[in-house]
Amino acid sequence: MAKLVIEGKHKLSGAVNIHGAKNSALPVLAATLLAKGTSEIHNCPMLSDVAASVRILRHLGCNVTRSGDCVTVDSLGLNRSDIPDTLMREMRSSIVFLGAIAARTGEAHMSFPGGCELGTRPIDLHLSALRQLGMEILEEGGRLECSVKGRLRGTTIALAFPSVGATENIILASVTAEGTTSILNAAREPEIVDLCNYLNKCGARISGAGESAITIEGVDSLYGCSHSVIPDRIETVTYMAAAAITGSTLTLKNVNTGHIATVLPVFREAGCTIASSGGELKISAPNRLNRIHTIRTMPYPGFPTDAQAPVMAMMSVADGTSVFIENIFESRYKHAGELIRLGAKIKIEGRVAIVEGVKRLYGSEVVSTDLRGGAALVIAGLAAEGITEVTQIHHIDRGYEKIEENLRGIGAVIKRVD
Ligand code: UD1
């Protein structure tokens, strides 16, 4: 089993290039199914989740090639409508293919994605919305058997919660539906906007993306186009946390600071200086961070749940006590137990985590519990005295391209051991 071995206490300096956003690339790749022709997706990160999406597209009959950061998908040969269980298990967000496969082929067959390391993660909002569009969905023995008689029909769908995945599935299913679909209480994440920008370039008629009400006027068909994925805002925050915890100055390139507007004040409150212009962000951190008061994770534009773990790692060595309230996922503090093994003082009470900053962390062997939790342990390891070994790093590889190479490039002492 591969692991990351980190020698802590080295200052970081220099620049990191931020990759394309995983959470944008996945729905955009699913959307390429709808475009009858060839789409070129640029700035596509090299991640295991992207590789899983490519395997799904190939399984469905698409011709997919990769050259550098560009993935080219020709969906003309699409001839299947199922996703194998192994791919559904490998990547829970495979569920975002459901709307696209059913819209293109009139049916979709896959296993239920089930729970994951963040909790039960139901898909009731996805299924209820797709049924409102006219899809017949049978849930039997852990499988989803979906069929569409004729075309899906546009309607008004009010989401009980602004689920990112459900919003994406509705958009993918309704873009070629008959009539107009309105999504009320839609997710407003930048990745939703990116998906709609791609689809509109392919001939879709979507307005309101990035707002709570999205309107989709169904069109007969879509054609391929060239699109560049937005920068990954969570990767950006992760490298900012790496700079903060090590008291370093770093430049991050290819960022969109507008997408992290509610995260920047948290770093400033912690004592960091941040300057940005023209897609670059420079962060300088003090030798000891201040505590931050309370961080509440919220749907966008609130503080992102995906940034909670990396920011918790940096607060574990701040001067004072910080409080986190996790409002999105029921079980998103598994990394806290591992941070405690490195010497952090963290108490969890339901959705609340109380982090009492300590003067120093000590290297130890820790287990990556999930994608962002794993990144938090790497960040903690950069500041810990001695050697930290992070195992189960397949979680980290789902969302961070070349994390150890990037960190070595800015002065960290880190290696991957197989
Ligand atoms: C996406 C992101 C993930 C991020 C999350 C919240 C991708 C590939 N993943 O996940 O990184 O952490 O948004 O910003 O883009 N829920 C239901 N029923 C549903 C759907 C969701 O109860 O049908 C609940 C979930 O259990 C969770 C909350 O809603 O508690 C948010 O989930 P959702 O916004 O759907 O997240 P994902 O799309 O799964």
Side-chain angles (χ1 to χ4, degrees), residues 87-164:
L87 289 170
M88 284 304 289
R89 268 199 295 273
E90 191 174 326
M91 185 177 67
R92 186 194 179 279
S93 41
S94 305
I95 192 65
V96 82
F97 276 85
L98 171 54
I101 295 176
R104 172 83 192 264
T105 68
E107 53 187 293
H109 311 278
M110 59 191 69
S111 53
F112 213 86
C116 77
E117 56 280 355
L118 304 183
T120 50
R121 294 187 86 171
I123 53 163
D124 53 319
L125 298 173
H126 301 236
L127 301 186
S128 144
L130 295 173
R131 284 186 173 117
Q132 289 174 63
L133 290 167
M135 198 181 294
E136 281 189 17
I137 305 175
L138 282 178
E139 299 172 56
E140 271 178 352
R143 289 198 58 80
L144 294 164
E145 309 295 348
C146 311
S147 59
V148 181
K149 284 202 185 86
R151 257 169 99 179
L152 292 165
R153 284 175 307 281
T155 186
T156 297
I157 298 165
L159 286 172
F161 180 87
S163 154
V164 174

Side-chain angles (χ1 to χ4, degrees), residues 22-24 26-27 49 92-93 95 118-127 161-168 187 189 191 233-234 298-300 304-306 327-330 332 351 371-372 398:
K22 167 182 91 75
N23 288 353
S24 239
L26 302 183
D49 271 9
R92 186 194 179 279
S93 41
I95 192 65
L118 304 183
T120 50
R121 294 187 86 171
I123 53 163
D124 53 319
L125 298 173
H126 301 236
L127 301 186
F161 180 87
S163 154
V164 174
T167 303
E168 290 165 349
E189 270 68 2
E191 293 77 19
R233 61 195 166 103
I234 306 302
M298 306 283 262
Y300 189 84
T305 174
D306 287 354
N327 291 311
I328 307 296
F329 288 106
E330 62 184 44
R332 203 161 199 183
R351 288 185 176 273
L371 165 55
R372 306 303 170 187
R398 286 187 41 227

Side-chain angles (χ1 to χ4, degrees), residues 6 32 34 41 55 81 113 123 155 174 187 254 259 305 316 335:
I6 307 155
T32 61
L34 294 168
I41 311 303
R55 284 206 294 284
S81 50
I123 53 163
T155 186
S174 62
N254 309 327
H259 294 166
T305 174
S316 70
H335 50 278

